[in-house]
Amino acid sequence: MSNQRLTRPMVERTLWILDNSGLLDIIAPEPPKGRAGRRGRVRDNTRLWALGVTLCTRTGRETTVRGVYDVLTEALPRDLQWELGILRPLTSRSHAKAPANPEQARLTKTGKPRKEIWAEDGYERISYDDLHNVTTRLRKELDYGPSVADRISDAEREQRRARVEAAVDQLIGTTLIPRASKSVAIDATGQWSWTIGSKREKKQAQDKLAAGQHHGPSEEDADVLEVADIHIPDETDDNDDTAENTSADTEAPDKPTPEQRRCLDAAWGYKTSKSGEKEVGFGFHQHTIVRTPDPRPDARPEPLLVEGIAVVPANEDVVAASLRLIDRVHDRQPIARIAGDSLYTNLKAERWAVPLAQRGIEQILAMRSNNAGVMDLNGALLHYGWMHCPAAPMDRRPLPGNSAAEETAEHYDAVDDFKATWAFDRKESGLGRNGSTKWICPAMAGRVGCWARGNDNVTVARELGLPIITPPEDWQTRPCCTNKTMDFTPDPANPHHQRKLMQREYVGTRRWRRAFNLRSSVEGAFGILKNPSRQRMRRGHNRLPGLAMANLINGFKVAIYNEEQLRIWHENHGLGPADHPLLQPDPADWGFVDLTKDQATDIDQRHLAAARGENVTALPDAA
């Protein structure tokens, strides 16, 4: 939750996350030994920029360069500014230009204030330009999106993307504890750009969407990414920060260039509005994986932590981005099952279900009444990826509701009865690397009696009070009625085999609903991350263009979100490592005091003396 004032424990937790993540070793490594030329304070300034972004998140500020500068220079006590290097011994070479008055001393450039500097006393404060140069250097070295596609090779693009993803993974990984479960949820959310996209590209996206709706929805259309809350800007948007309403992070000429009008890495994509209609929006999609408990009643509660994110242009293929993200999380700690909504239900089996199975991951999918038809396979009826007796009245099968609230105890009992009477037992799931399935009909499984299985089968069933099935007249031609078991290896490319819909639990049962409800965890995480009083992951929070910045800044926000959720979970349940640095209780906060000029001068002189290697007494406590 955002705080009005930063305390030392908050800053110390932030520094622990940054320093233990190894982030700087990736985005600002130490220069090689013996390197000629002025090195400056690149690594120090990058560390302060990263600190400022996370502190902006804590205090509810926008994570712009201006926001970072303000939080570092205005929200931290003076002694802490010295300790962190915000106030520091003089390094600028242009200090001779500073006015004589040390209380108003400023280094100027083209008539604009750039850096506070006290030349006579020999110290300065980090400037807006120092922080702006950090972001310029990071974008120059790390940007890998369409905006730099014509300036770097494909190999370098992959190398840069790997660096950014590694930085985000290590940043988030520092805020995680080992999972007790092997279940996660995945979803995509709109991360819209603060600029407006090309009207021509918007028209093309709208035309493509209209053509798809005219010809009817296609479950195999992986281009239509259904996510929520992508802002659709127009010329009348009062909050639009375009070149005509330039932010503090952008200095545009009189006539803005296309690069200044919009982020060239953002794109027009698709989203589903609150009314259920598909629309277009400009920006990014953030693919997110959130940990969940395992789908069993006695599962240990898990903290609502984000395991990983990937920010991509809104028109990028959902499968490629999601699988890359899954691999990154899976490598840290194995995943056994992943829950997703209808976006993932609609993906082709060979693009989603099979790649997951090859990784040893089972899918938990959203299901609606229009997700699957009834298919005849070897005489049996295949529905929602599950075999049924050919005599089953599939038109009377209880279907899942659009939400758990629509399903009653009577509904679940009806589903259990239908499954017991008509559904095959699945002895080999085919959900792993071996795609073969093995099925046993309900009569051979001993749950009903069937004349196709002989008189003795019916006699025993009657004695046990089990239902008796009358098979179809052509049952002798159906392998499912004549074989003891039925082997079936679905062809992922054949939609009639319904491989993309197959999951462990029978659709509509309590066990399936319990498993699928895990997906709500990711919606809960989005609600907190986008809350304007929390992480503020919304339009305008970041005005630095490029995929590298979009991923890094969202990574900082997720790290702070994870810290908050971990502390809340630990406080509520008493679980987790008690000695973890992020779980230590904050000491009592006794407020702050205003410094007098003499007190401030004393702090400055003591820190300057320490920087020169002189012996100093302990510094007094200050706000």
Side-chain angles (χ1 to χ4, degrees):
M1 185 176 296
S2 63
N3 296 274
Q4 297 299 315
R5 187 170 64 85
L6 293 166
T7 63
R8 182 175 287 270
M10 294 178 195
V11 177
E12 290 174 348
R13 287 198 298 271
T14 303
L15 291 172
W16 185 88
I17 292 172
L18 296 178
D19 294 341
N20 283 273
S21 68
L23 175 76
L24 291 180
D25 293 334
I26 299 175
I27 66 174
E30 293 281 4
K33 293 182 179 180
R35 178 179 176 182
R38 184 169 182 259
R39 296 185 181 183
R41 305 178 70 99
V42 172
R43 188 176 173 93
D44 293 341
N45 289 347
T46 303
R47 182 174 185 260
L48 287 174
W49 171 78
L51 172 66
V53 171
T54 52
L55 295 183
C56 281
T57 301
R58 289 190 185 279
T59 56
R61 288 174 166 87
E62 303 291 5
T63 46
T64 59
V65 177
R66 174 58 61 186
V68 170
Y69 175 74
D70 288 345
V71 77
L72 292 178
T73 59
E74 297 176 2
L76 295 173
R78 194 172 189 85
D79 60 337
L80 196 51
Q81 289 190 38
W82 273 104
E83 292 175 29
L84 296 173
I86 301 165
L87 286 169
R88 56 202 185 190
L90 195 64
T91 60
S92 298
R93 294 179 174 180
S94 304
H95 59 271
K97 299 180 182 179
N101 184 352
E103 296 184 18
Q104 301 296 326
R106 286 181 179 273
L107 177 65
T108 63
K109 182 179 181 182
T110 63
K112 298 179 181 179
R114 296 313 237 183
K115 176 179 286 188
E116 292 178 299
I117 180 170
W118 290 264
E120 293 183 358
D121 294 326
Y123 70 92
E124 66 184 27
R125 199 192 312 265
I126 192 172
S127 70
Y128 177 95
D129 279 0
D130 291 327
L131 298 170
H132 185 271
N133 291 340
V134 167
T135 62
T136 300
R137 183 192 63 80
L138 289 176
R139 290 198 57 216
K140 181 179 179 181
E141 294 183 4
L142 297 178
D143 265 346
Y144 60 89
S147 59
V148 296
D150 58 342
R151 300 199 296 272
I152 61 176
S153 66
D154 290 344
E156 186 174 353
R157 285 185 65 190
E158 287 300 313
Q159 196 174 50
R160 290 185 176 196
R161 184 176 69 184
R163 282 183 66 190
V164 171
E165 290 178 348
V168 171
D169 288 345
Q170 291 190 202
L171 188 64
I172 294 175
T174 307
T175 63
L176 300 175
I177 61 174
R179 274 185 276 118
S181 75
K182 293 185 178 181
S183 304
V184 297
I186 188 170
D187 203 357
T189 187
Q191 184 65 65
W192 49 91
S193 172
W194 62 282
T195 57
I196 291 179
S198 160
K199 292 182 179 179
R200 177 179 57 82
E201 293 174 358
K202 177 181 180 180
K203 179 68 164 52
Q204 292 174 347
Q206 290 173 328
D207 290 345
K208 181 178 179 182
L209 181 60
Q213 291 174 339
H214 175 73
H215 295 293
S218 171
E219 292 184 353
E220 306 300 327
D221 187 1
D223 292 329
V224 180
L225 178 52
E226 299 182 22
V227 299
D229 299 332
I230 295 182
H231 183 68
I232 303 177
D234 56 35
E235 292 76 7
T236 62
D237 191 341
D238 293 335
N239 295 322
D240 206 24
D241 291 307
T242 60
E244 288 79 11
N245 184 21
T246 307
S247 75
D249 285 355
T250 307
E251 294 184 8
D254 294 337
K255 186 176 181 180
T257 65
E259 289 78 5
Q260 289 160 332
R261 286 184 181 274
R262 65 188 180 98
C263 173
L264 296 182
D265 287 350
W268 288 101
Y270 301 99
K271 70 124 183 168
T272 301
S273 68
K274 296 184 184 301
S275 65
E277 297 294 326
K278 287 187 175 64
E279 299 174 335
V280 296
F282 182 74
F284 303 95
H285 285 150
Q286 178 181 298
H287 298 269
T288 306
I289 291 179
V290 175
R291 68 171 54 180
T292 73
D294 284 331
R296 63 176 193 270
D298 60 341
R300 193 194 83 168
E302 288 277 2
L304 186 62
L305 301 182
V306 173
E307 291 275 347
I309 63 169
V311 181
V312 300
N315 63 351
E316 183 166 321
D317 176 31
V318 59
V319 174
S322 297
L323 290 179
R324 284 201 313 270
L325 177 59
I326 288 171
D327 287 340
R328 288 157 52 190
V329 174
H330 195 51
D331 287 344
R332 183 191 298 130
Q333 188 173 349
I335 301 170
R337 58 194 68 83
I338 188 165
D341 64 3
S342 58
L343 166 64
Y344 307 93
T345 306
N346 292 340
L347 297 172
K348 295 179 180 179
E350 66 268 30
R351 302 186 70 234
W352 183 249
V354 172
L356 287 182
Q358 292 170 344
R359 290 164 169 80
I361 302 173
E362 295 182 7
Q363 58 181 354
I364 304 171
L365 297 175
M367 288 293 181
R368 300 292 184 267
S369 59
N370 61 348
N371 276 133
V374 179
M375 303 297 173
D376 188 316
L377 282 172
N378 296 328
L381 302 179
L382 185 66
H383 193 220
Y384 289 121
W386 203 285
M387 294 288 190
H388 295 81
C389 172
M394 301 306 295
D395 57 333
R396 298 202 298 273
R397 176 182 178 178
L399 299 177
N402 291 328
S403 69
E406 300 177 13
E407 298 167 351
T408 63
E410 291 77 12
H411 166 80
Y412 290 125
D413 291 342
V415 173
D416 290 340
D417 290 343
F418 190 91
K419 178 187 177 186
T421 304
W422 304 108
F424 281 36
D425 280 359
R426 185 172 57 190
K427 296 302 181 183
E428 292 181 9
S429 69
L431 301 177
R433 294 178 177 85
N434 180 4
S436 177
T437 62
K438 184 183 290 292
W439 303 88
I440 301 175
C441 84
M444 294 299 294
R447 289 185 275 110
V448 299
C450 179
W451 294 106
R453 297 300 180 178
N455 294 335
D456 290 344
N457 180 275
V458 173
T459 300
V460 172
R462 281 176 173 168
E463 291 175 352
L464 296 175
L466 300 176
I468 305 301
I469 291 176
T470 301
E473 294 182 357
D474 62 347
W475 65 266
Q476 291 180 327
T477 66
R478 297 175 180 261
C480 68
C481 295
T482 57
N483 296 343
K484 291 184 178 180
T485 61
M486 188 172 67
D487 295 334
F488 170 58
T489 302
D491 178 2
N494 186 342
H496 296 291
H497 288 184
Q498 298 184 1
R499 175 61 185 90
K500 74 173 189 175
L501 304 179
M502 291 182 177
Q503 47 191 315
R504 181 164 296 277
E505 304 300 341
Y506 188 83
V507 172
T509 61
R510 290 177 175 86
R511 291 171 61 92
W512 170 80
R513 176 57 71 181
R514 184 186 302 123
F516 177 69
N517 281 348
L518 299 177
R519 199 201 64 82
S520 63
S521 297
V522 74
E523 298 290 355
F526 287 157
I528 298 172
L529 286 167
K530 290 191 169 189
N531 191 319
S533 68
R534 303 294 286 273
Q535 276 68 46
R536 299 171 68 88
M537 195 176 285
R538 59 186 180 85
R539 186 167 188 259
H541 78 101
N542 163 38
R543 296 173 191 171
L544 293 166
L547 281 172
M549 280 300 171
N551 278 275
L552 285 174
I553 289 182
N554 282 12
F556 291 123
K557 289 179 176 284
V558 167
I560 296 303
Y561 161 87
N562 277 354
E563 179 209 311
E564 292 177 356
Q565 294 302 309
L566 191 59
R567 291 174 67 82
I568 292 171
W569 172 78
H570 177 68
E571 182 178 347
N572 291 342
H573 300 283
L575 299 174
D579 59 346
H580 196 289
L582 297 182
L583 297 180
Q584 302 311 302
D586 285 345
D589 180 13
W590 302 109
F592 63 96
V593 297
D594 292 326
L595 294 177
T596 65
K597 179 182 177 181
D598 290 341
Q599 289 173 321
T601 300
D602 186 50
I603 290 174
D604 296 341
Q605 293 304 314
R606 289 171 181 271
H607 278 282
L608 282 170
R612 292 191 294 265
E614 300 174 3
N615 292 327
V616 294
T617 59
L619 292 170
D621 292 334

